[in-house]
């Protein structure tokens, strides 16, 4: 109950969400946790023979989900809404100094380079809006960030509006975390 989720757990759940999206014929792509690390370290990921890049034109998907581990101690997520031309940063433990600019820029540059190589793409990825998501449910502790990232991806993929604004349903309640952790395991 008070352990961080590992990359293997997030990868397994992202794979589950990918399978679910494929069955529902939704154009969503859930990347594994190590993909962002590759983006950080490589100048030209586009020309690498990675299945995430070469198999399909990911610029034709509707939403792209990038779970990210910051410094080996905190899970966050960048979700790209290709149709809206927007990158959204989800941090379950928001900090004033951390707005996800580095993560969104890294993902944006990857997509920009990909669009430049794929001449059939007319997307102006460089002009896409970057948004730090502020009014989302946040973790009440130091160990549930992975749970929140998994749930963000799950709820967004189901079309649930993540918001703690007045009048909006709260989609992740801290008192439900023990149940939600068990649900992740069962799923």
């Amino acid at each position: 109950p008070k352990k961080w989720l590992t990359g293997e757990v997030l990868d397994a759940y992202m794979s589950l969400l990918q399978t679910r999206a494929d069955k529902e014929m939704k154009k969503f792509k859930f990347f594994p946790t190590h993909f962002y690390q590759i983006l950080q370290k490589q100048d030209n990921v586009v020309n690498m023979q990675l299945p995430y890049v070469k198999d399909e034109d990911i610029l034709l998907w509707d939403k792209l989900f990038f779970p990210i581990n910051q410094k080996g101690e905190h899970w966050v997520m960048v979700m790209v809404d290709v149709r809206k031309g927007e990158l959204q940063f989800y941090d379950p433990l928001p900090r004033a100094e951390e707005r996800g600019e580095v993560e969104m820029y890294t993902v944006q540059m990857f997509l920009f380079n990909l669009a430049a190589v794929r001449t059939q793409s007319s997307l102006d990825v460089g002009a896409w809006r970057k948004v730090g998501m502020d009014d989302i449910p946040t973790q009440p502790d130091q160990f549930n960030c992975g749970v929140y990232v998994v749930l963000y991806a799950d709820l967004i993929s189901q079309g649930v509006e993540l918001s703690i604004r007045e009048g909006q349903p709260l989609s992740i309640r801290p008192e439900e975390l023990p149940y939600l952790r068990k649900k992740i395991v069962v799923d």
Side-chain angles (χ1 to χ4, degrees), residues 6-187:
T6 64
E8 291 84 7
V9 173
L10 269 80
D11 285 343
Y13 209 85
M14 293 297 156
S15 180
L16 168 77
L17 294 176
Q18 186 66 63
T19 300
R20 187 184 301 159
D22 292 346
K23 282 181 184 174
E24 296 172 2
M25 300 184 62
K26 292 181 179 177
K27 295 190 67 123
F28 296 164
K29 184 70 173 174
F30 296 86
F31 287 86
T33 56
H34 71 273
F35 187 66
Y36 181 79
Q37 294 168 340
I38 294 170
L39 293 181
Q40 279 185 302
K41 294 177 184 172
Q42 301 294 324
D43 288 337
N44 195 352
V45 174
V46 171
N47 290 332
M48 295 175 73
Q49 293 299 310
L50 297 171
Y52 328 110
V53 178
K54 70 177 185 170
D55 286 349
E56 302 173 48
D57 189 350
I58 61 173
L59 296 171
L60 297 176
W61 293 85
D62 294 334
K63 292 186 180 176
L64 311 172
F65 297 82
F66 295 86
I68 299 166
N69 191 293
Q70 294 179 321
K71 302 176 186 169
E73 53 191 48
H74 183 59
W75 290 106
V76 297
M77 182 178 72
V78 170
M79 194 279 295
V80 179
D81 189 326
V82 178
R83 285 188 172 182
K84 280 184 174 179
E86 187 171 274
L87 293 95
Q88 299 174 354
F89 181 71
Y90 291 84
D91 187 346
L93 191 61
R95 296 156 285 182
E97 73 281 355
E98 176 60 48
R99 305 297 309 142
E101 290 298 322
V102 171
E103 291 85 354
M104 287 188 287
Y105 176 78
T106 301
V107 170
Q108 186 176 32
M109 288 311 301
F110 161 65
L111 296 173
F112 179 82
N113 291 335
L114 191 62
V117 169
R118 306 227 167 119
T119 55
Q120 74 273 16
S121 176
S122 61
L123 297 175
D124 184 9
V125 178
W128 285 5
R129 203 175 118 190
K130 292 183 267 200
V131 180
M133 303 305 286
D134 292 326
D135 62 346
I136 58 174
T138 55
Q139 68 188 85
D141 50 45
Q142 298 296 318
F143 47 83
N144 274 306
C145 54
V147 174
Y148 274 75
V149 166
V150 162
L151 295 172
Y152 293 158
D154 189 5
L155 292 167
I156 292 168
S157 71
Q158 294 178 50
V160 174
E161 176 75 27
L162 293 179
S163 179
I164 55 172
R165 290 180 294 225
E166 193 171 324
Q168 295 287 330
L170 185 62
S171 48
I172 304 171
R173 290 185 176 86
E175 63 272 11
E176 295 176 341
L177 285 169
Y179 163 76
L180 293 170
R181 281 177 167 268
K182 290 176 185 173
K183 181 185 179 308
I184 289 170
V185 172
V186 170
D187 287 350

